[in-house]
Amino acid sequence: MKMDHLLIIEDDPDVLENLKDILEYYGFYISTAIDGLEGYDKAVELMPDLIICDVNLPEIDGFELLDMLKRTPETYMIPFLFLTAYTDKSLLRKGMNLGADDYITKPYDNKDLLNAVKSKIEKYDDLRNGFARNLEYMKGRITNSIPNHFAAPIHSILGFATVLKNNYFDFDDSDRISIIENIYESGDLMLKMLDNYGLYLKLSSKSYNEFDFIEDDFPADKIIKYAIEKEGSVYGITSKVRTTLEPALLKMGSGHIKKIVLEFISIATRFGIPEKEIYFHGKINENNNYELSVSFFSKGFSDILIKSISDLESIGLKDIDSKYCSLSLSLIKLLVELHKGKMFIESIPYDKTTITVLIPLKD
């Protein structure tokens, strides 16, 4: 008989151990995580049958974690139970609107806990198994001629569309709207990646001597601030961006400067932790280059992601955000190197990630 696999995400060691003991006693296989970021990684890696998650967590809270899981096709169907001492109706409603299946309120009764877990697993078994079969079928139809970086958004679109098509009448209106929004976001991401891929191919066909340099008489700090305001409003993050920028004239056209800034924001938003501030720094260094960097809090860039930069056929990346970041970083690196500049990345897991580019100053 199949042993159901549960993932418990709880930062209080006593509560975590108590829950683990109870559910193991009733025959469940248990994995654990002590914060939201670890919980997300384990959910994607282990694909548990159900997740029990505290609302208050380090790094990212339970609401942010649930939102991330609902934007990932493979984890969209995993039943999600919040564990909370809250009785505030607005918080309960917020969780349910994000897609939580139920709440378990502390202190909990063992029998109620067991009933909640069993009922949610049974409810979603058929839906989840049907989704997995259809997603694998759709993946198999994608030809190897498509660059690997685009496989993830295509899988996402097909995955969410399959869920909606096969289970339409099992969902209510809010579920359908949520799935449609995920399809739209995946399609929008696909278009941005295709634009970046086209520009990357165009630029990679040029050498330094063939490159048409455009030098504007616009100070870099003004160009960067304009791009931040424009892209920041698209992502709704303008209020959390902080800047310290020295004025300078660069040996790079304003269009390419803006492109680097837009990709910085997109990477920081997609790969960073929601609600955390994003920092832009720009200064003239001792080597007469403009040192522009973006810093943000994230779970960190994996070694595989960093090694994939400039290698668009890399097959090691799994999730959409990593593939998007890899392509964006490849484009940024190519842009600055064509201008005789450099790119550096410093990424500390579950801490600060900083991407820095050096751009020569205008003569």
Side-chain angles (χ1 to χ4, degrees):
M1 185 175 70
K2 173 180 174 288
M3 180 181 287
D4 290 316
H5 184 184
L6 311 184
L7 172 62
I8 304 173
I9 308 169
E10 168 63 67
D11 64 322
D12 185 320
D14 292 332
V15 175
L16 181 62
E17 192 62 29
N18 183 56
L19 268 173
K20 184 174 182 290
D21 289 344
I22 292 170
L23 292 167
E24 282 182 337
Y25 175 80
Y26 284 112
F28 295 100
Y29 176 71
I30 306 299
S31 295
T32 62
I34 59 173
D35 62 57
L37 289 174
E38 183 187 10
Y40 177 78
D41 288 342
K42 285 195 172 181
V44 173
E45 177 188 355
L46 302 175
M47 292 297 293
D49 296 294
L50 180 138
I51 296 170
I52 299 174
C53 180
D54 192 15
V55 170
N56 282 326
L57 291 170
E59 312 302 349
I60 59 173
D61 65 26
F63 296 127
E64 293 168 325
L65 170 60
L66 176 58
D67 185 55
M68 291 168 65
L69 292 172
K70 290 299 181 183
R71 293 174 184 274
T72 304
E74 289 80 2
T75 59
Y76 182 87
M77 300 297 294
I78 298 176
F80 193 100
L81 303 183
F82 269 126
L83 181 66
T84 179
Y86 291 133
T87 55
D88 187 343
K89 298 300 183 185
S90 64
L91 289 173
L92 299 182
R93 187 164 55 251
K94 178 180 179 181
M96 301 309 284
N97 287 340
L98 284 171
D101 293 276
D102 207 346
Y103 271 83
I104 301 170
T105 305
K106 303 174 189 176
Y108 47 82
D109 178 82
N110 290 359
K111 185 177 180 181
D112 291 340
L113 170 66
L114 183 63
N115 287 338
V117 169
K118 284 187 173 180
S119 66
K120 300 309 174 187
I121 289 177
E122 289 171 0
K123 176 182 176 182
Y124 279 89
D125 263 346
D126 290 341
L127 291 176
R128 188 168 59 249
N129 292 337
F131 166 64
R133 287 193 300 271
N134 281 285
L135 182 57
E136 287 305 312
Y137 171 72
M138 291 296 185
K139 285 181 178 180
R141 297 183 64 182
I142 298 175
T143 67
N144 292 329
S145 62
I146 297 175
N148 183 64
H149 276 56
F150 301 115
I154 293 173
H155 290 167
S156 180
I157 293 167
L158 291 174
F160 283 122
T162 300
V163 169
L164 188 61
K165 175 178 177 289
N166 292 346
N167 308 293
Y168 185 86
F169 294 105
D170 295 311
F171 294 127
D172 58 25
D173 288 344
S174 63
D175 289 328
R176 295 179 194 123
I177 291 172
S178 174
I179 294 173
I180 291 169
E181 287 174 346
N182 279 313
I183 293 172
Y184 175 84
E185 289 174 6
S186 298
D188 182 60
L189 181 63
M190 182 74 181
L191 286 176
K192 289 179 179 178
M193 291 179 70
L194 285 170
D195 285 342
N196 282 351
Y197 184 64
L199 181 56
Y200 181 88
L201 291 179
K202 179 181 178 181
L203 293 176
S204 61
S205 66
K206 296 179 180 293
S207 67
Y208 176 78
N209 293 329
E210 297 172 326
F211 196 76
D212 296 325
F213 288 103
I214 300 174
E215 300 176 17
D216 296 326
D217 289 324
F218 299 111
D221 60 316
K222 294 187 182 298
I223 298 171
I224 295 166
K225 286 180 181 178
Y226 172 80
I228 289 173
E229 290 176 4
K230 180 180 178 181
E231 192 73 356
S233 63
V234 172
Y235 285 99
I237 61 162
T238 305
S239 62
K240 70 174 189 177
V241 177
R242 304 288 178 264
T243 61
T244 305
L245 302 167
E246 292 181 5
L249 296 178
L250 307 186
K251 194 174 183 179
M252 179 181 283
S254 58
H256 287 159
I257 296 172
K258 290 176 186 176
K259 182 60 178 174
I260 291 172
V261 174
L262 297 185
E263 293 307 314
F264 273 178
I265 291 177
S266 190
I267 292 170
T269 303
R270 294 183 182 279
F271 215 86
I273 303 305
E275 309 307 324
K276 298 289 186 179
E277 292 183 332
I278 299 170
Y279 299 90
F280 275 83
H281 296 279
K283 66 177 183 179
I284 299 173
N285 67 14
E286 62 277 8
N287 295 319
N288 214 31
N289 288 313
Y290 195 72
E291 188 174 307
L292 174 63
S293 66
V294 62
S295 299
F296 53 94
F297 189 88
S298 79
K299 65 180 182 180
F301 289 165
S302 67
D303 290 339
I304 295 175
L305 191 159
I306 293 175
K307 288 178 182 177
S308 74
I309 297 172
S310 302
D311 178 14
L312 301 189
E313 297 304 317
S314 173
I315 61 173
L317 302 176
K318 295 181 179 179
D319 62 282
I320 296 177
D321 287 334
S322 292
K323 295 192 177 189
Y324 180 87
C325 288
S326 172
L327 178 55
S328 294
L329 291 169
S330 299
L331 178 58
I332 293 168
K333 182 174 183 286
L334 179 59
L335 262 176
V336 296
E337 288 180 349
L338 281 170
H339 289 81
K340 294 295 185 181
K342 294 181 179 180
M343 182 181 79
F344 304 94
I345 297 174
E346 181 180 7
S347 187
I348 303 172
Y350 302 104
D351 202 331
K352 189 169 68 172
T353 291
T354 301
I355 308 168
T356 303
V357 293
L358 303 181
I359 305 172
L361 298 178
K362 183 177 179 181
D363 297 329

